[in-house]
Amino acid sequence: MGIPKNGTFLQNVERMVAKTVRYLDLPPGWAEEIQAPDTTIKVQFPVQMDDDTWKTFTGWRCTHSEHRLPAKGGIRYASIVNEDEVEALAALMTYKCALVNVPYGGSKGGLRINPREHSVGELERITRRFAQALINKGFIGPSDNVPAPDMGTGEREMAWIVDTYQTLKPEDINYLGCVTGKPVDMGGVRGRTEATGRGVMYVIREFFRNVDDVARTGLTGTVAGKKIVVQGLGNVGYHAAKFLAEDDAKIIAVLEWDGAIVNEDGIDIDDLRQWIDVHGGVTGYPYGTYHLESRKLLTYPCDILVPAALEGQITVENAADIQARLVVEAANGPITYEADRILNERGIMVIPDFYANAGGVTVSYFEWIKNLSHIRFGRMQRRLDEFRAAAIVEAIESATGKEIEAKLKHHIMQGSDELSMVRSGLDDTMREAYQEIKETFNEHNDIVDFRTAALVVAMQKIANTHKRIGL
Ligand code: NAD
Protein backbone atom coordinates (compact mmCIF):
# COMPACT_ATOMS: atom_id res chain seq x y z
CA MET A 1 0.00 0.00 0.00
CA GLY A 2 1.41 3.43 -0.92
CA ILE A 3 1.71 6.32 1.49
CA PRO A 4 -1.53 8.35 1.55
CA LYS A 5 -1.37 11.87 0.07
CA ASN A 6 -0.34 13.59 3.30
CA GLY A 7 0.71 10.44 5.22
CA THR A 8 0.48 9.88 8.97
CA PHE A 9 2.63 12.01 11.27
CA LEU A 10 5.03 9.11 11.84
CA GLN A 11 5.26 8.36 8.11
CA ASN A 12 6.16 12.00 7.50
CA VAL A 13 8.95 11.85 10.08
CA GLU A 14 10.20 8.55 8.60
CA ARG A 15 10.25 9.99 5.07
CA MET A 16 12.25 12.95 6.33
CA VAL A 17 14.80 10.54 7.85
CA ALA A 18 14.90 8.41 4.68
CA LYS A 19 15.72 11.53 2.66
CA THR A 20 18.59 12.40 5.01
CA VAL A 21 20.33 9.05 5.41
CA ARG A 22 22.34 9.34 2.17
CA TYR A 23 24.28 12.27 3.63
CA LEU A 24 25.47 10.17 6.55
CA ASP A 25 28.22 7.62 6.63
CA LEU A 26 26.45 4.96 8.69
CA PRO A 27 27.13 1.20 8.89
CA PRO A 28 24.35 -0.87 7.28
CA GLY A 29 21.26 -1.10 9.46
CA TRP A 30 22.15 1.82 11.73
CA ALA A 31 19.74 4.30 10.18
CA GLU A 32 16.87 1.85 10.75
CA GLU A 33 17.89 1.39 14.40
CA ILE A 34 18.24 5.13 15.01
CA GLN A 35 14.84 5.71 13.44
CA ALA A 36 12.86 2.92 15.15
CA PRO A 37 11.08 3.73 18.44
CA ASP A 38 12.59 1.63 21.29
CA THR A 39 9.44 1.03 23.35
CA THR A 40 5.88 2.30 23.40
CA ILE A 41 3.50 1.47 26.21
CA LYS A 42 -0.22 1.92 26.25
CA VAL A 43 -1.97 2.32 29.60
CA GLN A 44 -5.66 2.27 30.41
CA PHE A 45 -7.00 3.27 33.78
CA PRO A 46 -10.34 4.13 35.38
CA VAL A 47 -11.05 7.42 37.16
CA GLN A 48 -14.12 8.44 39.13
CA MET A 49 -15.84 11.53 37.71
CA ASP A 50 -17.51 14.29 39.75
CA ASP A 51 -20.95 12.69 39.19
CA ASP A 52 -19.63 9.39 40.69
CA THR A 53 -19.56 7.57 37.34
CA TRP A 54 -16.30 5.90 36.28
CA LYS A 55 -14.53 6.59 33.03
CA THR A 56 -11.62 4.69 31.47
CA PHE A 57 -8.80 6.72 29.89
CA THR A 58 -6.15 5.65 27.38
CA GLY A 59 -2.64 7.04 27.24
CA TRP A 60 0.71 6.23 25.65
CA ARG A 61 4.35 6.94 26.37
CA CYS A 62 7.02 6.17 23.83
CA THR A 63 10.73 6.04 24.50
CA HIS A 64 12.14 6.56 21.05
CA SER A 65 15.81 6.45 21.95
CA GLU A 66 17.83 5.71 25.06
CA HIS A 67 21.25 6.41 23.54
CA ARG A 68 21.39 9.05 26.26
CA LEU A 69 19.45 8.96 29.50
CA PRO A 70 17.07 10.14 30.74
CA ALA A 71 14.76 10.16 27.74
CA LYS A 72 12.91 13.46 27.56
CA GLY A 73 9.65 14.67 26.10
CA GLY A 74 6.34 16.30 26.90
CA ILE A 75 2.96 14.87 27.78
CA ARG A 76 0.13 15.98 25.54
CA TYR A 77 -3.59 16.01 26.42
CA ALA A 78 -5.79 15.99 23.30
CA SER A 79 -8.82 14.09 22.09
CA ILE A 80 -7.04 12.98 18.91
CA VAL A 81 -3.85 11.59 20.49
CA ASN A 82 -2.84 8.17 19.20
CA GLU A 83 0.16 5.84 19.17
CA ASP A 84 1.39 6.99 15.75
CA GLU A 85 1.44 10.62 16.87
CA VAL A 86 3.22 9.86 20.15
CA GLU A 87 5.90 7.84 18.33
CA ALA A 88 6.40 10.61 15.77
CA LEU A 89 6.73 13.23 18.51
CA ALA A 90 9.15 11.01 20.45
CA ALA A 91 11.34 10.64 17.36
CA LEU A 92 11.39 14.42 16.90
CA MET A 93 12.51 14.72 20.54
CA THR A 94 15.49 12.44 19.88
CA TYR A 95 16.62 14.59 16.94
CA LYS A 96 15.84 17.84 18.79
CA CYS A 97 17.89 16.98 21.87
CA ALA A 98 20.86 15.85 19.76
CA LEU A 99 20.69 18.97 17.59
CA VAL A 100 20.77 21.45 20.47
CA ASN A 101 23.29 19.45 22.53
CA VAL A 102 20.91 18.53 25.32
CA PRO A 103 22.17 15.14 26.59
CA TYR A 104 18.91 13.20 26.50
CA GLY A 105 17.20 10.46 24.53
CA GLY A 106 13.78 11.20 23.03
CA SER A 107 10.39 10.37 24.48
CA LYS A 108 6.79 11.60 24.36
CA GLY A 109 3.49 10.87 26.05
CA GLY A 110 -0.10 11.47 25.21
CA LEU A 111 -3.44 11.06 26.92
CA ARG A 112 -6.63 10.86 24.88
CA ILE A 113 -8.76 13.46 26.58
CA ASN A 114 -10.38 16.81 25.90
CA PRO A 115 -9.25 18.82 28.94
CA ARG A 116 -12.02 21.38 28.33
CA GLU A 117 -14.61 18.70 29.20
CA HIS A 118 -13.31 18.12 32.74
CA SER A 119 -13.30 19.97 36.05
CA VAL A 120 -9.98 20.77 37.72
CA GLY A 121 -10.69 18.06 40.29
CA GLU A 122 -11.24 15.46 37.57
CA LEU A 123 -8.10 16.57 35.71
CA GLU A 124 -6.08 16.18 38.91
CA ARG A 125 -7.36 12.65 39.56
CA ILE A 126 -6.82 11.67 35.89
CA THR A 127 -3.28 13.12 35.82
CA ARG A 128 -2.31 11.41 39.07
CA ARG A 129 -3.61 8.03 37.84
CA PHE A 130 -1.82 8.44 34.49
CA ALA A 131 1.40 9.40 36.28
CA GLN A 132 1.06 6.44 38.65
CA ALA A 133 0.66 4.05 35.72
CA LEU A 134 3.77 5.46 34.01
CA ILE A 135 5.86 5.56 37.20
CA ASN A 136 5.01 1.94 38.04
CA LYS A 137 6.19 0.87 34.57
CA GLY A 138 9.46 2.83 34.83
CA PHE A 139 8.35 5.50 32.35
CA ILE A 140 8.82 8.45 34.73
CA GLY A 141 11.88 9.07 36.89
CA PRO A 142 14.77 11.56 37.06
CA SER A 143 17.31 9.11 35.64
CA ASP A 144 15.12 7.25 33.10
CA ASN A 145 12.35 9.34 31.64
CA VAL A 146 11.44 12.94 32.34
CA PRO A 147 8.17 14.39 30.98
CA ALA A 148 7.35 18.09 30.49
CA PRO A 149 4.32 20.12 29.38
CA ASP A 150 3.02 19.97 25.82
CA MET A 151 -0.31 20.74 24.19
CA GLY A 152 -3.10 20.76 26.79
CA THR A 153 -0.78 20.49 29.82
CA GLY A 154 1.18 23.03 31.83
CA GLU A 155 2.83 23.60 35.18
CA ARG A 156 -0.30 22.59 37.09
CA GLU A 157 -0.20 19.05 35.64
CA MET A 158 3.58 18.87 36.20
CA ALA A 159 3.05 19.75 39.89
CA TRP A 160 0.56 16.86 40.23
CA ILE A 161 3.02 14.50 38.53
CA VAL A 162 5.96 15.42 40.77
CA ASP A 163 3.79 15.09 43.86
CA THR A 164 2.57 11.65 42.73
CA TYR A 165 6.16 10.57 42.07
CA GLN A 166 7.33 11.75 45.49
CA THR A 167 4.49 9.87 47.17
CA LEU A 168 5.40 6.63 45.35
CA LYS A 169 9.21 7.05 45.61
CA PRO A 170 9.85 8.89 48.89
CA GLU A 171 13.42 7.53 49.02
CA ASP A 172 14.45 9.32 45.78
CA ILE A 173 16.30 12.45 46.87
CA ASN A 174 16.26 13.68 43.24
CA TYR A 175 12.47 13.36 42.93
CA LEU A 176 12.12 16.97 41.72
CA GLY A 177 13.98 16.00 38.54
CA CYS A 178 11.29 13.46 37.54
CA VAL A 179 9.48 16.09 35.48
CA THR A 180 10.22 19.60 34.16
CA GLY A 181 8.03 22.61 33.53
CA LYS A 182 7.04 22.67 37.22
CA PRO A 183 5.94 25.82 39.05
CA VAL A 184 8.98 27.74 40.35
CA ASP A 185 7.95 27.14 43.98
CA MET A 186 7.93 23.38 43.32
CA GLY A 187 11.41 23.11 41.82
CA GLY A 188 10.73 24.77 38.47
CA VAL A 189 13.18 27.15 36.87
CA ARG A 190 12.44 30.77 36.05
CA GLY A 191 11.82 31.25 32.33
CA ARG A 192 10.60 27.69 31.53
CA THR A 193 6.97 28.58 30.78
CA GLU A 194 7.96 31.11 28.13
CA ALA A 195 11.02 29.17 26.91
CA THR A 196 9.69 27.62 23.71
CA GLY A 197 8.20 30.90 22.49
CA ARG A 198 11.28 32.87 23.53
CA GLY A 199 13.42 30.30 21.69
CA VAL A 200 11.35 30.90 18.53
CA MET A 201 12.09 34.61 18.86
CA TYR A 202 15.83 33.92 19.32
CA VAL A 203 15.77 31.71 16.19
CA ILE A 204 14.19 34.49 14.13
CA ARG A 205 16.69 37.02 15.48
CA GLU A 206 19.53 34.70 14.51
CA PHE A 207 18.04 34.22 11.05
CA PHE A 208 18.09 38.00 10.52
CA ARG A 209 21.73 38.15 11.68
CA ASN A 210 22.61 35.86 8.73
CA VAL A 211 22.24 38.23 5.81
CA ASP A 212 22.90 35.56 3.17
CA ASP A 213 19.96 33.50 4.46
CA VAL A 214 17.78 36.59 4.65
CA ALA A 215 18.71 37.50 1.07
CA ARG A 216 17.75 34.01 -0.18
CA THR A 217 14.23 34.51 1.14
CA GLY A 218 13.87 37.92 -0.47
CA LEU A 219 13.39 39.56 2.93
CA THR A 220 15.58 42.45 4.12
CA GLY A 221 16.58 44.18 7.34
CA THR A 222 15.56 42.88 10.76
CA VAL A 223 12.40 41.46 12.27
CA ALA A 224 11.20 45.01 13.03
CA GLY A 225 8.21 45.87 10.86
CA LYS A 226 7.83 42.35 9.46
CA LYS A 227 4.27 41.11 9.05
CA ILE A 228 3.74 37.88 10.96
CA VAL A 229 0.86 35.39 11.03
CA VAL A 230 0.66 33.09 14.06
CA GLN A 231 -1.46 29.94 14.27
CA GLY A 232 -2.35 29.00 17.87
CA LEU A 233 -2.13 31.46 20.74
CA GLY A 234 -1.38 28.86 23.42
CA ASN A 235 1.82 28.60 25.40
CA VAL A 236 4.20 28.54 22.43
CA GLY A 237 2.28 30.83 20.04
CA TYR A 238 1.43 33.45 22.66
CA HIS A 239 5.00 33.80 23.93
CA ALA A 240 6.51 33.75 20.43
CA ALA A 241 4.05 36.44 19.25
CA LYS A 242 4.54 38.55 22.37
CA PHE A 243 8.36 38.55 22.14
CA LEU A 244 8.33 39.13 18.37
CA ALA A 245 6.01 42.11 18.90
CA GLU A 246 8.46 43.38 21.55
CA ASP A 247 11.07 43.27 18.75
CA ASP A 248 8.71 45.58 16.78
CA ALA A 249 7.32 42.90 14.45
CA LYS A 250 3.66 43.30 13.49
CA ILE A 251 1.42 40.32 14.33
CA ILE A 252 -1.21 40.87 11.64
CA ALA A 253 -3.22 37.65 12.10
CA VAL A 254 -3.85 35.11 14.84
CA LEU A 255 -5.50 31.83 13.85
CA GLU A 256 -7.28 29.91 16.60
CA TRP A 257 -9.52 26.84 16.85
CA ASP A 258 -12.75 28.89 16.56
CA GLY A 259 -11.67 31.41 13.94
CA ALA A 260 -9.03 33.97 13.06
CA ILE A 261 -8.49 37.67 13.80
CA VAL A 262 -6.80 39.85 11.18
CA ASN A 263 -5.58 43.39 11.79
CA GLU A 264 -3.04 44.89 9.39
CA ASP A 265 -2.09 47.53 11.99
CA GLY A 266 -0.89 44.80 14.36
CA ILE A 267 -2.74 42.86 17.06
CA ASP A 268 -2.22 43.61 20.75
CA ILE A 269 -1.21 40.07 21.75
CA ASP A 270 -1.73 40.41 25.52
CA ASP A 271 -5.15 41.93 24.95
CA LEU A 272 -6.19 39.11 22.60
CA ARG A 273 -4.80 36.46 24.97
CA GLN A 274 -6.84 37.94 27.82
CA TRP A 275 -9.93 37.87 25.60
CA ILE A 276 -9.35 34.18 24.86
CA ASP A 277 -8.87 33.43 28.58
CA VAL A 278 -12.24 35.01 29.36
CA HIS A 279 -14.26 33.94 26.29
CA GLY A 280 -12.61 30.61 25.38
CA GLY A 281 -11.73 31.69 21.83
CA VAL A 282 -11.21 34.65 19.50
CA THR A 283 -14.87 34.92 18.47
CA GLY A 284 -16.25 38.39 19.20
CA TYR A 285 -12.84 40.04 19.64
CA PRO A 286 -13.50 43.64 18.62
CA TYR A 287 -10.08 44.85 17.41
CA GLY A 288 -9.76 43.15 14.00
CA THR A 289 -11.69 41.33 11.31
CA TYR A 290 -13.03 37.91 12.28
CA HIS A 291 -12.81 34.97 9.86
CA LEU A 292 -14.57 31.71 10.67
CA GLU A 293 -12.39 29.46 8.52
CA SER A 294 -9.21 29.96 10.47
CA ARG A 295 -6.99 27.47 8.62
CA LYS A 296 -7.57 29.22 5.28
CA LEU A 297 -5.69 32.21 6.73
CA LEU A 298 -2.42 30.24 6.65
CA THR A 299 -2.19 31.54 3.09
CA TYR A 300 -2.74 35.18 4.13
CA PRO A 301 -0.01 37.50 2.73
CA CYS A 302 2.75 38.01 5.28
CA ASP A 303 6.54 37.91 5.66
CA ILE A 304 6.76 35.20 8.32
CA LEU A 305 4.32 32.41 9.15
CA VAL A 306 4.55 30.81 12.60
CA PRO A 307 2.38 27.69 12.91
CA ALA A 308 2.24 27.08 16.69
CA ALA A 309 -0.80 24.85 17.15
CA LEU A 310 -1.07 21.40 15.60
CA GLU A 311 0.60 18.99 13.21
CA GLY A 312 -0.48 18.55 9.59
CA GLN A 313 -1.60 22.13 8.93
CA ILE A 314 0.36 22.88 5.74
CA THR A 315 -0.33 20.05 3.34
CA VAL A 316 -0.35 19.37 -0.40
CA GLU A 317 -3.73 21.12 -0.44
CA ASN A 318 -2.48 24.56 0.67
CA ALA A 319 1.35 24.55 0.29
CA ALA A 320 1.24 26.10 -3.18
CA ASP A 321 -0.74 29.05 -1.79
CA ILE A 322 1.46 29.93 1.21
CA GLN A 323 2.62 33.52 0.74
CA ALA A 324 5.12 33.89 3.60
CA ARG A 325 8.82 33.98 2.69
CA LEU A 326 9.84 32.28 5.93
CA VAL A 327 7.93 29.60 7.83
CA VAL A 328 9.06 28.91 11.39
CA GLU A 329 7.65 25.65 12.72
CA ALA A 330 6.93 26.48 16.35
CA ALA A 331 4.54 23.50 16.57
CA ASN A 332 5.69 19.94 15.99
CA GLY A 333 5.01 18.62 12.49
CA PRO A 334 2.85 21.45 11.11
CA ILE A 335 4.14 20.86 7.55
CA THR A 336 3.72 17.44 5.92
CA TYR A 337 6.59 15.89 3.97
CA GLU A 338 5.09 16.59 0.55
CA ALA A 339 4.10 20.13 1.52
CA ASP A 340 7.66 20.73 2.71
CA ARG A 341 8.90 19.68 -0.74
CA ILE A 342 6.52 22.14 -2.39
CA LEU A 343 7.64 25.00 -0.12
CA ASN A 344 11.29 24.22 -0.87
CA GLU A 345 10.61 24.20 -4.60
CA ARG A 346 8.92 27.58 -4.25
CA GLY A 347 11.98 29.00 -2.46
CA ILE A 348 10.16 29.49 0.83
CA MET A 349 12.56 28.91 3.70
CA VAL A 350 11.38 26.59 6.47
CA ILE A 351 12.99 26.53 9.91
CA PRO A 352 12.19 23.00 11.11
CA ASP A 353 10.29 22.13 14.26
CA PHE A 354 13.00 20.09 15.96
CA TYR A 355 15.19 23.19 15.91
CA ALA A 356 12.65 26.04 16.07
CA ASN A 357 10.83 24.81 19.18
CA ALA A 358 13.85 23.35 20.99
CA GLY A 359 13.82 26.21 23.51
CA GLY A 360 11.43 24.24 25.71
CA VAL A 361 13.63 21.19 26.13
CA THR A 362 16.72 23.39 26.47
CA VAL A 363 15.31 25.19 29.49
CA SER A 364 13.89 21.89 30.78
CA TYR A 365 17.49 20.69 30.78
CA PHE A 366 18.46 23.71 32.91
CA GLU A 367 15.58 22.92 35.28
CA TRP A 368 16.64 19.28 35.61
CA ILE A 369 20.24 20.35 36.36
CA LYS A 370 18.88 22.74 39.02
CA ASN A 371 16.87 19.88 40.54
CA LEU A 372 19.84 17.51 40.64
CA SER A 373 22.15 20.15 42.09
CA HIS A 374 19.49 21.22 44.62
CA ILE A 375 20.34 24.90 44.30
CA ARG A 376 18.99 27.86 42.39
CA PHE A 377 21.19 29.19 39.56
CA GLY A 378 23.14 32.26 40.68
CA ARG A 379 22.61 31.75 44.41
CA MET A 380 26.31 31.32 45.18
CA GLN A 381 27.82 33.94 42.88
CA ARG A 382 25.28 36.71 42.26
CA ARG A 383 26.31 39.00 45.13
CA LEU A 384 29.99 38.18 44.58
CA ASP A 385 29.61 39.30 40.92
CA GLU A 386 27.94 42.51 42.10
CA PHE A 387 30.66 43.16 44.66
CA ARG A 388 33.44 42.69 42.07
CA ALA A 389 31.63 44.79 39.43
CA ALA A 390 31.18 47.58 41.99
CA ALA A 391 34.91 47.50 42.73
CA ILE A 392 35.73 47.74 38.99
CA VAL A 393 33.29 50.65 38.52
CA GLU A 394 34.83 52.41 41.51
CA ALA A 395 38.36 51.88 40.11
CA ILE A 396 37.34 53.21 36.65
CA GLU A 397 35.64 56.26 38.17
CA SER A 398 38.58 57.11 40.40
CA ALA A 399 41.11 56.56 37.57
CA THR A 400 39.17 58.72 35.07
CA GLY A 401 37.74 61.20 37.54
CA LYS A 402 34.39 60.79 35.76
CA GLU A 403 31.19 59.22 37.02
CA ILE A 404 29.70 56.45 34.87
CA GLU A 405 26.15 57.19 33.76
CA ALA A 406 23.65 55.79 36.31
CA LYS A 407 21.77 53.43 33.97
CA LEU A 408 24.97 51.92 32.58
CA LYS A 409 26.41 51.62 36.10
CA HIS A 410 23.33 49.77 37.28
CA HIS A 411 23.58 47.43 34.27
CA ILE A 412 27.29 46.67 34.87
CA MET A 413 26.82 46.11 38.59
CA GLN A 414 23.88 43.72 38.36
CA GLY A 415 24.84 40.14 39.30
CA SER A 416 23.45 37.26 37.21
CA ASP A 417 20.16 35.98 38.59
CA GLU A 418 18.45 32.76 37.56
CA LEU A 419 16.25 34.31 34.87
CA SER A 420 19.07 36.16 33.13
CA MET A 421 21.24 33.02 33.21
CA VAL A 422 18.45 30.89 31.76
CA ARG A 423 17.83 33.40 28.98
CA SER A 424 21.53 33.65 28.21
CA GLY A 425 21.86 29.84 28.05
CA LEU A 426 18.80 29.60 25.81
CA ASP A 427 19.98 32.32 23.44
CA ASP A 428 23.42 30.74 23.21
CA THR A 429 21.96 27.29 22.51
CA MET A 430 19.67 28.50 19.73
CA ARG A 431 22.40 30.57 18.08
CA GLU A 432 24.96 27.79 18.23
CA ALA A 433 22.54 25.25 16.74
CA TYR A 434 21.65 27.66 13.90
CA GLN A 435 25.33 27.90 12.99
CA GLU A 436 25.75 24.10 13.11
CA ILE A 437 22.80 23.67 10.76
CA LYS A 438 24.08 26.38 8.46
CA GLU A 439 27.56 24.89 8.29
CA THR A 440 26.16 21.55 7.12
CA PHE A 441 23.77 23.31 4.73
CA ASN A 442 26.70 25.19 3.16
CA GLU A 443 28.90 22.08 3.00
CA HIS A 444 26.44 20.16 0.77
CA ASN A 445 25.47 21.72 -2.54
CA ASP A 446 22.62 19.25 -2.92
CA ILE A 447 21.00 19.99 0.46
CA VAL A 448 18.43 22.64 -0.31
CA ASP A 449 16.66 22.97 3.02
CA PHE A 450 17.48 23.57 6.69
CA ARG A 451 15.38 20.55 7.75
CA THR A 452 17.67 18.08 5.99
CA ALA A 453 20.78 19.91 7.18
CA ALA A 454 19.51 19.94 10.78
CA LEU A 455 18.70 16.23 10.64
CA VAL A 456 22.16 15.42 9.28
CA VAL A 457 23.66 17.26 12.26
CA ALA A 458 21.38 15.50 14.76
CA MET A 459 21.68 11.98 13.32
CA GLN A 460 25.46 12.28 13.04
CA LYS A 461 25.68 13.11 16.75
CA ILE A 462 23.45 10.15 17.65
CA ALA A 463 25.55 7.87 15.42
CA ASN A 464 28.72 9.16 17.09
CA THR A 465 27.33 8.17 20.49
CA HIS A 466 26.50 4.70 19.14
CA LYS A 467 30.00 4.39 17.67
CA ARG A 468 31.41 4.85 21.18
CA ILE A 469 28.98 2.71 23.15
CA GLY A 470 27.50 0.38 20.51
CA LEU A 471 23.95 0.13 19.27
P1 NAD B 1 -1.25 24.80 23.98
O1 NAD B 1 -2.28 23.79 24.29
O2 NAD B 1 -0.77 25.72 25.06
O3 NAD B 1 -1.71 25.74 22.78
C1 NAD B 1 -2.23 25.28 21.57
C2 NAD B 1 -3.06 26.42 20.99
O4 NAD B 1 -3.52 26.04 19.69
C3 NAD B 1 -4.30 26.74 21.82
O5 NAD B 1 -4.43 28.13 21.96
C4 NAD B 1 -5.43 26.14 21.00
O6 NAD B 1 -6.67 26.78 21.20
C5 NAD B 1 -4.89 26.34 19.61
N1 NAD B 1 -5.55 25.48 18.63
C6 NAD B 1 -6.08 24.24 18.82
N2 NAD B 1 -6.62 23.78 17.67
C7 NAD B 1 -6.41 24.74 16.75
C8 NAD B 1 -6.76 24.86 15.38
N3 NAD B 1 -7.41 23.90 14.73
N4 NAD B 1 -6.39 26.01 14.73
C9 NAD B 1 -5.71 26.99 15.38
N5 NAD B 1 -5.39 26.93 16.68
C10 NAD B 1 -5.73 25.82 17.35
O7 NAD B 1 -0.05 23.98 23.35
P2 NAD B 1 1.47 24.43 23.23
O8 NAD B 1 2.19 23.89 24.40
O9 NAD B 1 1.55 25.86 22.89
O10 NAD B 1 1.91 23.53 21.98
C11 NAD B 1 1.68 23.95 20.64
C12 NAD B 1 2.61 23.17 19.72
O11 NAD B 1 3.96 23.41 20.12
C13 NAD B 1 2.44 21.65 19.74
O12 NAD B 1 2.74 21.14 18.47
C14 NAD B 1 3.51 21.20 20.73
O13 NAD B 1 3.91 19.86 20.53
C15 NAD B 1 4.62 22.16 20.37
N6 NAD B 1 5.63 22.35 21.43
C16 NAD B 1 5.30 22.78 22.68
C17 NAD B 1 6.28 22.97 23.63
C18 NAD B 1 6.00 23.52 25.00
O14 NAD B 1 6.97 23.83 25.73
N7 NAD B 1 4.77 23.69 25.40
C19 NAD B 1 7.62 22.69 23.31
C20 NAD B 1 7.94 22.25 22.02
C21 NAD B 1 6.93 22.10 21.08
Side-chain angles (χ1 to χ4, degrees), residues 157-348:
E157 286 73 17
M158 302 306 116
W160 293 329
I161 294 174
V162 74
D163 188 58
T164 305
Y165 183 85
Q166 191 192 10
T167 308
L168 293 173
K169 309 267 180 189
E171 72 289 352
D172 189 346
I173 194 172
N174 291 321
Y175 71 94
L176 282 174
C178 78
V179 69
T180 57
K182 302 178 292 292
V184 172
D185 59 5
M186 278 193 77
V189 74
R190 286 159 187 81
R192 171 61 184 93
T193 306
E194 62 178 52
T196 310
R198 188 172 282 282
V200 169
M201 180 270 281
Y202 286 148
V203 165
I204 294 176
R205 271 194 194 165
E206 184 60 9
F207 162 78
F208 279 105
R209 279 190 202 103
N210 287 264
V211 286
D212 47 341
D213 297 334
V214 178
R216 262 190 295 114
T217 61
L219 294 169
T220 53
T222 67
V223 72
K226 296 293 177 294
K227 293 183 172 187
I228 300 186
V229 170
V230 177
Q231 186 192 37
L233 209 64
N235 178 311
V236 178
Y238 161 68
H239 286 106
K242 178 183 162 72
F243 300 137
L244 288 166
E246 283 173 9
D247 268 4
D248 295 326
K250 239 191 226 181
I251 312 298
I252 57 163
V254 169
L255 285 46
E256 259 292 335
W257 67 277
D258 63 327
I261 298 293
V262 177
N263 184 340
E264 284 283 339
D265 295 329
I267 294 167
D268 179 335
I269 289 303
D270 277 311
D271 192 55
L272 179 55
R273 184 60 248 174
Q274 275 169 23
W275 177 275
I276 296 172
D277 286 343
V278 174
H279 300 90
V282 296
T283 310
Y285 185 68
Y287 305 111
T289 316
Y290 173 78
H291 297 253
L292 177 63
E293 290 188 80
S294 151
R295 194 168 157 218
K296 280 200 171 157
L297 276 281
L298 287 168
T299 59
Y300 192 79
C302 63
D303 299 309
I304 305 172
L305 174 61
V306 182
L310 310 164
E311 57 263 25
Q313 295 301 295
I314 301 175
T315 63
V316 288
E317 284 82 20
N318 60 1
D321 301 322
I322 297 294
Q323 300 199 47
R325 300 307 311 156
L326 175 70
V327 183
V328 183
E329 290 187 311
N332 284 309
I335 304 177
T336 63
Y337 179 84
E338 281 301 329
D340 194 44
R341 199 179 49 74
I342 296 169
L343 295 182
N344 286 331
E345 276 170 13
R346 294 185 54 220
I348 297 172

Side-chain angles (χ1 to χ4, degrees), residues 92-162:
L92 288 177
M93 283 306 298
T94 297
Y95 307 132
K96 188 182 305 185
C97 293
L99 179 67
V100 296
N101 298 316
V102 166
Y104 294 139
S107 185
K108 201 79 179 193
L111 184 66
R112 189 175 287 164
I113 183 175
N114 180 353
R116 287 176 222 257
E117 288 174 0
H118 295 276
S119 67
V120 174
E122 286 178 354
L123 284 172
E124 177 172 354
R125 292 196 294 280
I126 295 162
T127 302
R128 286 180 181 278
R129 281 300 294 266
F130 188 31
Q132 190 184 346
L134 295 178
I135 293 162
N136 286 341
K137 293 187 167 48
F139 274 74
I140 296 183
S143 52
D144 321 301
N145 196 317
V146 182
D150 193 76
M151 220 161 82
T153 58
E155 59 178 35
R156 181 183 64 181
E157 286 73 17
M158 302 306 116
W160 293 329
I161 294 174
V162 74

